[in-house]
């Protein structure tokens, strides 16, 4: 039981981490866009980082993706083993 939970958590964490990098630029305003460049920073630095928004949106989207993966794997049998083999087979 613990092994199944840890495997599910590992898959969710990987999905969450990849989704984080897709969500980070959503709604981002740079200092150059706001004409408020702080001395010593690059103009492309964000004006303010909204961590709560980014982390909650990442959690929501990754939960939906994980739920879709879980349904496909559990009910339809479309897991990682069903993906086509991309490399050559040596065995």
């Amino acid at each position: 039981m613990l092994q199944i939970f840890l495997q599910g958590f590992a898959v969710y964490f990987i999905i969450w981490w990849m989704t984080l990098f897709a969500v980070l630029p959503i709604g981002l305003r740079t200092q150059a866009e706001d004409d408020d460049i702080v001395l010593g920073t690059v103009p492309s630095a964000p004006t303010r980082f909204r961590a709560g928004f980014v982390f909650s949106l990442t959690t929501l989207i990754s939960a939906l993706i994980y739920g879709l993966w879980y349904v496909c794997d559990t009910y339809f049998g479309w897991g990682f083993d069903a993906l086509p083999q991309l490399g050559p087979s040596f065995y």
Side-chain angles (χ1 to χ4, degrees):
M1 181 70 181
L2 180 64
Q3 182 181 5
I4 294 172
F5 174 75
L6 291 177
Q7 287 174 349
F9 181 74
V11 170
Y12 179 77
F13 180 75
I14 291 169
I15 292 171
W16 190 90
W17 193 254
M18 290 189 324
T19 307
L20 173 67
F21 290 108
V23 169
L24 273 175
I26 295 176
L28 178 72
R29 299 273 310 163
T30 64
Q31 293 178 10
E33 290 174 340
D34 289 341
D35 291 328
D36 185 26
I37 300 172
V38 178
L39 188 62
T41 62
V42 293
S44 61
T47 303
R48 73 183 175 109
F49 178 62
R50 300 175 302 166
F53 171 76
V54 169
F55 293 148
S56 61
L57 187 61
T58 300
T59 303
L60 177 70
I61 293 172
S62 60
L64 293 174
I65 294 171
Y66 180 80
L68 180 68
W69 172 79
Y70 182 79
V71 166
C72 288
D73 186 42
T74 304
Y75 296 108
F76 300 117
W78 299 338
F80 292 119
D81 295 336
L83 294 174
Q85 184 176 356
L86 299 177
S89 177
F90 295 110
Y91 51 91

